Amino acid sequence: MTQEELFKNIISHCKEYGFVFPSSEIYDGLGAVYDYGPFGVELKNNIREYWWKSMVQMNDNIVGLDASIFMHPTVWKASGHVDAFSDPLIDNKDSKKRYRADVLIEEHISKIEAKIEKEVEKAKKRFENFDETMFRSTNPRVVENQKKIDEINARFKNALEKNDLVEVKQIIIDCEIVCPVSGTRNWTDVRQFNLMFSTQMGSVSEDSNIIYLRPETAQGIFVNFLNVQRSARMKIPFGIAQTGKAFRNEIVARQFLFRMKEFEQMEMQFFVRPGEEMQWYNTWKEKRIKWHHAMGFGTEKYRFHDHIKLAHYANAACDIEFMFPFGFKEIEGIHSRTDFDLSSHEKHSGKKLQYFDSELNKSYVPYVIETSIGLDRMFLAVLASAFEIEKLDSANAEGEGNERTVLRIPPALAPVKVAVFPLIKKDGLPEKAMEIFNNLKQICRCYYEEKDTIGKRYRRQDAIGTPFCITVDHESLKDNCVTLRHRDSMKQERIPIDKIASIVEEKVSLRNLLSKS
Ligand code: ATP
């Protein structure tokens, strides 16, 4: 299956099995807005809980916050979003499609990178004692392509730094980038487009005031910095964590949950002494990559990418990129935001946002390290890693054909943890199964089903990623044991009914992830 087919399969699987639906679908949908279905909402809640617990429960110097979406409009002036939160857009005159100029250039670079990697892979297979570093620095095709990448990156960085949109367009022309729809290079000029949604607050028009739907959750943390520090008696270094909706008027092209107009962020701002920010920046880089690795999808699926142009507030910044079906893309940002936000809010509000450090016996505006991850992008990353169409030999087929679609979601994150089935719908088996189900649902999300063959029921649970199925048969009434079937190995074992809860609880506990992260 190509990566493109995989992506298409995931999108249709999400709809068919109640993970994600297009918004307002009966009205033909709304671009880049999605609704989470019965199993999607469970998975999303579990990912959020994993993040929240790893931040707030596992770190005794991090506390939570839930700030409003609406904020005083001056917040967005102070944060720089009114003046600088924009994307460089370009239109193709033939297809009338609009693109982000930076994305067109980055995708072009990715294509050249892919050529290099292909060359390296080919050589790896050909030579026995392959010296990759040597190969990368001497092979003429690799060297030439790397030179191209470096040149484009340097020009692009320079253009962004000078906000030179004419040069950005020139790079697109010089790289001979074509519109994927029309195939032509008939481009408009590049211009900046602010991403914030605005609305009005106040019922009388003269009183009405433009306010914005927050484009990030971070500012709710900054404006509450002193409220939280004082009320929770926090001492620097400490963090404030928050999850919640953010809104951006993104220009998108078929990227599903990766780029939405309404999405959810999980952000943590960590307040430190000025001068100590680099040490904490590195600490949080390490902690966050460990959090990702703990899910077990493979460390090779993640990489760090340093920003080539730092945002106006940052003195260091990188992304954690994940290998999505459409390539390595940002899943989380880690930014050293200096004292920009707090200082700017001091200036605009006229209120002091300083911390008195009793050890140093002085007050200062703290520096901030931010970790910011998109919950929806995480959701997509989990699905993309977990989704598999597995070929089965007849011994393993469970009487249901030689293929199954299985979501190998880490048990702690799975939407449903256990499904309970009576083998047949009579002879007292449903009653016994129901008794087990009613008991288990007090500890985790369970599912009860008695329709269809056991094989079909297993398949349905595989498709939503349920790690365990329990089947009650006639023997169960005599020996008080049931069959426990494991999703990944499809192995079955006989276990006593009174042990089910402890076995399942141990396997689906978030502890399994938190202890590794
Ligand atoms: P990109 O460069 O992909 O637009 P960004 O650098 O603007 O992302 P940040 O402002 O750093 O993103 O936001 C932090 C995180 O929020 C991102 O790493 C991503 O996971 C998530 N995120 C940002 N924009 C979106 C979106 N439109 N849809 C879904 N998630 C998003």
Side-chain angles (χ1 to χ4, degrees):
M1 193 179 1
T2 64
Q3 291 296 298
E4 205 170 311
E5 285 163 350
L6 169 69
F7 191 39
K8 277 196 190 135
N9 277 330
I10 291 171
I11 297 172
S12 56
H13 191 85
C14 275
K15 176 147 183 258
E16 188 180 348
Y17 285 92
F19 282 86
V20 180
F21 309 125
S23 158
S24 335
E25 198 187 5
I26 57 168
Y27 294 101
D28 297 330
L30 181 65
V33 185
Y34 292 92
D35 299 338
Y36 286 84
F39 301 112
V41 67
E42 299 282 354
L43 174 59
K44 196 175 170 203
N45 286 343
N46 294 342
I47 298 172
R48 191 193 297 104
E49 192 188 1
Y50 171 38
W51 182 88
W52 185 264
K53 290 202 162 160
S54 83
M55 283 293 175
V56 179
Q57 186 170 303
M58 300 296 287
N59 293 287
D60 43 15
N61 59 355
I62 298 184
V63 288
L65 178 74
D66 183 15
S68 303
I69 287 170
F70 292 140
M71 300 182 76
H72 192 284
T74 313
V75 166
W76 305 110
K77 189 77 196 150
S79 67
H81 283 81
V82 171
D83 298 321
F85 192 56
S86 47
D87 279 341
L89 297 188
I90 189 165
D91 293 15
N92 182 269
K93 290 182 195 162
D94 299 320
S95 68
K96 310 270 182 273
K97 292 276 172 209
R98 179 164 291 175
Y99 301 92
R100 269 174 59 177
D102 54 334
V103 170
L104 284 180
I105 294 172
E106 276 160 16
E107 280 175 356
H108 179 72
I109 292 174
S110 297
K111 278 187 198 151
I112 308 177
E113 274 171 354
K115 275 190 201 160
I116 296 181
E117 293 317 311
K118 210 168 147 193
E119 206 74 53
V120 173
E121 284 311 309
K122 246 176 33 198
K124 254 187 207 163
K125 283 190 193 133
R126 236 181 312 137
F127 304 113
E128 229 171 58
N129 294 324
F130 180 62
D131 181 341
E132 189 173 327
T133 321
M134 174 74 113
F135 182 79
R136 283 182 190 272
S137 58
T138 53
N139 177 279
R141 273 190 299 266
V142 171
V143 171
E144 192 194 328
N145 277 326
Q146 190 56 52
K147 199 169 143 218
K148 268 191 205 160
I149 293 177
D150 294 342
E151 274 169 14
I152 301 169
N153 268 332
R155 272 182 78 184
F156 187 36
K157 180 170 185 244
N158 197 22
L160 290 178
E161 268 164 13
K162 293 192 182 132
N163 206 10
D164 184 349
L165 300 181
V166 175
E167 168 67 353
V168 173
K169 179 176 178 185
Q170 198 55 48
I171 297 173
I172 291 175
I173 292 170
D174 294 347
C175 289
E176 303 184 345
I177 296 174
V178 296
C179 164
V181 177
S182 68
T184 71
R185 291 181 219 145
N186 195 5
W187 297 110
T188 61
D189 290 341
V190 179
R191 69 209 173 287
Q192 292 289 3
F193 174 81
N194 195 294
L195 295 177
M196 281 199 293
F197 284 104
S198 61
T199 184
Q200 289 182 323
M201 196 173 255
S203 48
V204 188
S205 62
E206 293 115 80
D207 291 340
S208 78
N209 226 333
I210 290 199
I211 58 165
Y212 298 99
L213 299 186
R214 67 181 178 199
E216 63 175 26
T217 59
Q219 298 304 323
I221 294 180
F222 293 127
V223 298
N224 277 298
F225 162 69
L226 275 188
N227 282 338
V228 174
Q229 188 267 320
R230 286 180 183 154
S231 59
R233 303 169 63 233
M234 305 306 288
K235 277 190 156 168
I236 270 180
F238 76 92
I240 305 177
Q242 168 165 239
T243 71
K245 286 278 172 102
F247 304 82
R248 295 182 188 178
N249 200 358
E250 302 266 16
I251 301 303
V252 275
R254 299 176 299 280
Q255 285 176 305
F256 195 40
L257 305 179
F258 182 80
R259 195 171 295 287
M260 299 156 84
K261 294 191 168 156
E262 173 181 342
F263 58 101
E264 195 165 333
Q265 287 186 316
M266 306 191 286
E267 297 199 301
M268 193 279 299
Q269 311 293 326
F270 199 72
F271 300 90
V272 304
R273 278 183 186 159
E276 293 187 358
E277 70 274 16
M278 279 309 148
Q279 162 203 334
W280 285 108
Y281 173 69
N282 290 324
T283 303
W284 278 105
K285 272 176 76 175
E286 257 171 55
K287 276 168 105 65
R288 292 307 303 148
I289 198 80
K290 248 177 121 186
W291 183 89
H292 286 278
H293 289 170
M295 280 173 283
F297 298 134
T299 52
E300 73 288 352
K301 291 207 163 149
Y302 303 86
R303 70 180 188 193
F304 282 111
H305 169 78
D306 288 326
H307 284 196
I308 58 168
K309 185 202 170 200
L310 292 177
H312 56 279
Y313 52 74
N315 66 358
C318 68
D319 298 332
I320 294 177
E321 292 187 336
F322 177 78
M323 182 69 183
F324 285 99
F326 37 84
F328 267 109
K329 298 272 176 212
E330 169 178 350
I331 192 164
E332 172 158 7
I334 299 166
H335 312 125
S336 172
R337 291 181 80 125
T338 66
D339 59 352
F340 172 84
D341 301 88
L342 290 180
S343 297
S344 185
H345 286 306
E346 274 199 329
K347 248 178 261 151
H348 283 80
S349 67
K351 309 268 164 39
K352 281 226 167 310
L353 288 174
Q354 304 210 347
Y355 170 82
F356 177 72
D357 193 322
S358 53
E359 276 174 41
L360 300 180
N361 197 26
K362 68 173 190 186
S363 294
Y364 53 79
V365 178
Y367 271 48
V368 173
I369 305 302
E370 164 182 80
T371 71
S372 173
I373 174 170
L375 177 50
D376 313 86
R377 282 193 193 174
M378 252 327 288
F379 182 102
L380 183 56
V382 169
L383 277 185
S385 306
F387 184 91
E388 188 184 337
I389 298 176
E390 188 183 13
K391 296 264 174 261
L392 303 168
D393 54 37
S394 51
N396 251 339
E398 298 174 328
E400 285 306 322
N402 55 2
E403 199 174 272
R404 68 168 181 156
T405 300
V406 55
L407 296 185
R408 298 184 193 277
I409 301 173
L413 302 181
V416 174
K417 311 298 190 203
V418 198
V420 184
F421 311 142
L423 183 64
I424 53 170
K425 263 198 273 183
K426 54 182 187 183
D427 303 336
L429 302 188
E431 289 76 6
K432 189 76 186 163
M434 197 39 102
E435 192 186 313
I436 294 171
F437 170 71
N438 282 332
N439 184 28
L440 274 181
K441 73 184 181 190
Q442 294 169 33
I443 52 171
C444 59
R445 177 77 164 83
C446 304
Y447 198 95
Y448 177 85
E449 189 162 43
E450 47 186 39
K451 200 170 160 280
D452 289 330
T453 62
I454 284 290
K456 281 209 175 77
R457 284 182 258 172
Y458 283 158
R459 288 293 176 278
R460 277 200 291 272
Q461 295 305 317
D462 287 343
I464 60 167
T466 307
F468 304 106
C469 293
I470 280 166
T471 304
V472 174
D473 56 24
H474 292 92
E475 270 312 290
S476 308
L477 302 181
K478 292 183 219 144
D479 66 0
N480 259 330
C481 287
V482 290
T483 302
L484 176 72
R485 184 254 193 193
H486 297 257
R487 174 196 68 199
D488 293 344
S489 61
M490 301 171 72
K491 291 228 165 74
Q492 301 189 3
E493 58 178 322
R494 206 69 190 159
I495 58 164
I497 291 175
D498 61 6
K499 292 258 163 56
I500 301 175
S502 60
I503 292 176
V504 167
E505 210 175 5
E506 200 257 309
K507 297 243 162 75
V508 306
S509 168
L510 257 185
R511 225 179 310 138
N512 297 317
L513 299 184
L514 293 173
S515 61
K516 287 188 227 142
S517 72

